[in-house]
Amino acid sequence: MTRLPLVMSGKSDGPEGDGSIATKTRTRTQRPPMYKVLLLNDDYTPMEFVVHVLERFFGLSHAQAFEIMLTVHKKGLAVVGVFSFEVAETKVAQVMDFARRHQHPLQCTMEKE
């Protein structure tokens, strides 16, 4: 959080009555940094599995998941979504665990936006 002084002009109504300027501190909250979740291409994970992961863990429609899967396949990686740190970290862990349990080398990472 950043604290900014709030300056009030005019004479002080305080007991001194000396014309000093009164200041108040106002708190301004900052938005938390956001993180991109990325899916990386490999030569072994089936395309259908990638589509399933995108639908299951990111709530995408079949059409959206298919488009992102094609981007991963053609470009080597794609941004799946942008989330707070905790949400991004959880999604990466869920995808990696699910892929390992199904014996696929699918890679999912995150980076600061």
Side-chain angles (χ1 to χ4, degrees):
M1 284 192 290
T2 306
R3 294 191 176 265
L4 301 173
L6 176 64
V7 179
M8 301 173 69
S9 60
K11 299 236 182 226
S12 171
D13 291 333
E16 296 88 29
D18 60 1
S20 62
I21 296 176
T23 61
K24 286 185 181 179
T25 302
R26 185 171 63 186
T27 303
R28 176 185 286 168
T29 57
Q30 295 178 343
R31 299 191 114 189
M34 300 299 278
Y35 290 81
K36 297 185 283 189
V37 174
L38 306 159
L39 215 51
L40 285 72
N41 189 40
D42 64 73
D43 294 332
Y44 303 102
T45 305
M47 292 179 178
E48 296 81 18
F49 183 80
V50 175
V51 170
H52 178 70
V53 164
L54 292 168
E55 292 171 346
R56 179 173 178 163
F57 296 104
F58 297 95
L60 300 175
S61 70
H62 185 75
Q64 292 170 319
F66 191 81
E67 284 298 316
I68 291 176
M69 177 275 298
L70 284 179
T71 301
V72 170
H73 181 69
K74 292 176 182 176
K75 296 188 176 182
L77 64 90
V79 175
V80 181
V82 180
F83 308 96
S84 67
F85 178 82
E86 291 81 7
V87 173
E89 185 178 49
T90 300
K91 289 196 179 287
V92 168
Q94 288 173 331
V95 169
M96 294 296 290
D97 181 55
F98 189 71
R100 294 301 157 262
R101 282 189 281 125
H102 288 85
Q103 300 177 343
H104 294 298
L106 182 64
Q107 292 292 306
C108 186
T109 62
M110 60 188 264
E111 66 181 41
K112 202 167 191 177
E113 188 176 40

